[in-house]
Amino acid sequence: MPSWKKNIFVNAISTRMTTEGRTAEDIIMDYPALSDAEKSEILTAINAG
């Protein structure tokens, strides 16, 4: 996944976690077009930072 794409999803999901009070794992299920590998990469980036 290109870094620009990952950054967009990390920022969007992080913002949604704050505003909606949901977990990243729950929110990422709202994006069915992402592959499992992409989801793992995004979750790893969110949990690392």
Side-chain angles (χ1 to χ4, degrees):
M1 166 183 298
S3 62
W4 63 267
K5 183 177 179 182
K6 181 173 66 173
N7 288 337
I8 289 170
F9 277 104
V10 167
N11 289 334
I13 293 171
S14 296
T15 300
R16 287 184 66 187
M17 287 171 61
T18 302
T19 59
E20 298 175 15
R22 296 168 58 196
T23 66
E25 292 78 8
D26 183 36
I27 294 169
I28 205 157
M29 295 317 224
D30 293 343
Y31 301 97
L34 292 172
S35 69
D36 288 339
E38 290 173 325
K39 289 177 182 179
S40 293
E41 190 174 343
I42 293 165
L43 289 173
T44 299
I46 290 171
N47 292 328

